[in-house]
Amino acid sequence: MVSSTISELVADAKDGDHRAFEELVRQTYADTYTLAFRLTGDEEDARDVVQEAYLRVHKGLQRFRGDAQFSTWLHRITANCANTFLGRRVRHRHDELPAEPNIADVHPLRDPVQRGEIGDLRAQLTEALRSLPPKLSAVVVLRDIYDLPHEDIADELGISVSAAKVRLHRARKRLRERLYPFGDESGDQESHAM
Amino acid sequence: MQCEEVTLVLAEVAPVEDAALPLAAARHLDGCLRCQAELSQYRKLLRGLSSLREVQIAPDSTLLDEILENLRPPAPVLKLRRRDRRKAILKGVGAAAATGAAGAFVAVSKLNRSTVAQ
Ligand SMILES: [Zn+2]
């Protein structure tokens, strides 16, 4: 239902309906901001990336054919803007410690035990992701959270597919080592022992 | 296959399903507790990452207004101004040409200077 609403809005916006475009922004901007924040790790930078992304979407909407999902297209544009932005940031200033994000679960789990475990893991992961260099975190965010194909990731980050894959493996390895620093995992080894 | 090779495969494939594992790696995993633990860690990691898709980071309440404000078309005003500016320059050059070659030379050299200054 949500996707049909989005596609209707896209169609109306393409016909020049500015209100439809505004509604499209209203429905998607929090998601876009979340991705921008995950890619830049900074509130102000994420805001700039989101602004730039919607300007590009507005300009390029006629080129959006609708054979891909609008959200995927928007994620790609956001990734591209963030990449450009980070390139500029590296040249212009040293990274400071970013502020804690204001996190909200869109689909909270009912089971409190599961909620606690997942919540802990998510918090640890969010922390771990922020500890990675932006080049590595971008790839793992786009692939393992947003499910973009390697080819799209490579395109938007301006690197080869094989470079994107190498960065992904490195990022996963670092995340795993950070989450499980002692290599042990209670219970699991026992259950696999034959 | 040795543990070191399997480690690389696991980071690459990080499979959720056993079927995605190359046969040699799967065979190694059958008898190696260390690599089994690592596989299990990768699976948890990937499930956790994928679940982050459900988590939204709330933007400051002013962001939406800022985006919409940015998208509202001030473009015609800008274009008009630019067009006006060009007209003014053309008028200036035209007027200078009308008053004589010396006047035109001054206008053009002024334009050149401003281009260089940029
Ligand atoms: Zn092994």
Side-chain angles (χ1 to χ4, degrees):
Chain A
M1 210 173 96
V2 172
S3 64
S4 78
T5 310
I6 294 280
S7 54
E8 278 166 21
L9 289 171
V10 170
D12 290 347
K14 279 175 94 166
D15 286 341
D17 182 345
H18 191 70
R19 282 198 182 166
F21 191 79
E22 289 197 347
E23 186 52 33
L24 199 57
V25 174
R26 218 167 261 126
Q27 290 197 21
T28 56
Y29 84 100
D31 185 45
T32 308
Y33 174 81
T34 301
L35 172 58
F37 186 90
R38 291 202 191 286
L39 293 170
T40 60
D42 179 88
E43 216 172 291
E44 282 305 312
D45 292 350
R47 289 174 76 98
D48 289 346
V49 166
V50 171
Q51 299 271 16
E52 175 64 24
Y54 279 109
L55 283 174
R56 285 202 209 170
V57 168
H58 193 245
K59 264 191 203 166
L61 194 61
Q62 295 303 331
R63 272 181 281 121
F64 174 65
R65 297 217 175 154
D67 44 4
Q69 280 203 342
F70 178 75
S71 60
T72 307
W73 187 59
L74 184 53
H75 291 155
R76 288 188 63 167
I77 290 175
T78 308
N80 189 280
C81 290
N83 189 51
T84 309
F85 196 89
L86 287 172
R88 256 185 261 146
R89 188 172 79 177
V90 168
R91 284 195 293 273
H92 288 300
R93 70 170 159 90
H94 295 291
D95 289 353
E96 295 146 18
L97 254 182
E100 286 299 314
N102 190 5
I103 292 171
D105 201 330
V106 187
H107 303 288
L109 295 160
R110 281 196 189 158
D111 176 359
V113 175
Q114 207 184 353
R115 197 168 56 212
E117 283 172 6
I118 293 277
D120 283 352
L121 180 61
R122 282 174 178 173
Q124 286 172 11
L125 272 173
T126 303
E127 241 351 270
L129 278 170
R130 294 171 92 201
S131 75
L132 290 179
K135 277 183 177 178
L136 294 188
S137 68
V139 179
V140 81
V141 163
L142 294 171
R143 178 73 200 124
D144 289 340
I145 304 179
Y146 288 85
D147 208 25
L148 286 188
H150 292 293
E151 292 73 15
D152 290 3
I153 295 169
D155 267 0
E156 301 311 337
L157 301 186
I159 53 178
S160 68
V161 172
S162 58
K165 285 182 178 174
V166 168
R167 285 187 193 180
L168 179 69
H169 309 157
R170 280 195 194 143
R172 283 174 176 167
K173 186 169 178 284
R174 284 218 206 169
L175 288 176
R176 185 185 64 80
E177 285 166 355
R178 193 178 161 106
L179 290 180
Y180 308 103
F182 306 110
D184 63 338
E185 202 185 10
S186 50
D188 285 46
Q189 292 202 22
E190 219 62 60
S191 66
H192 287 293
M194 301 285 281
Chain B
M1 230 178 186
Q2 300 298 304
C3 292
E4 293 71 29
E5 294 168 277
V6 176
T7 294
L8 293 175
V9 171
L10 293 181
E12 185 180 334
V13 186
V16 177
E17 301 296 329
D18 281 337
L21 272 174
L23 195 61
R27 276 198 195 122
H28 174 94
L29 274 157
D30 276 343
C32 178
L33 292 179
R34 198 187 113 179
C35 289
Q36 282 173 21
E38 200 168 304
L39 174 62
S40 159
Q41 289 164 359
Y42 272 121
R43 285 182 174 168
K44 277 194 183 175
L45 172 66
L46 283 196
R47 274 201 301 271
L49 284 169
S50 152
S51 85
L52 284 181
R53 187 69 186 87
E54 307 296 331
V55 178
Q56 217 158 61
I57 298 170
D60 181 75
S61 60
T62 57
L63 179 61
L64 178 63
D65 287 340
E66 269 179 32
I67 300 168
L68 296 179
E69 188 57 42
N70 240 353
L71 292 167
R72 261 172 220 133
V77 181
L78 257 175
K79 272 182 195 160
L80 233 161
R81 276 191 198 146
R82 217 175 283 152
R83 209 183 303 145
D84 281 353
R85 209 183 305 143
R86 209 177 307 141
K87 263 188 202 166
I89 290 170
L90 287 174
K91 260 188 201 166
V93 173
T99 50
F105 177 75
V106 172
V108 170
S109 60
K110 264 185 192 167
L111 279 173
N112 285 345
R113 210 178 302 147
S114 65
T115 316
V116 171
Q118 282 167 358

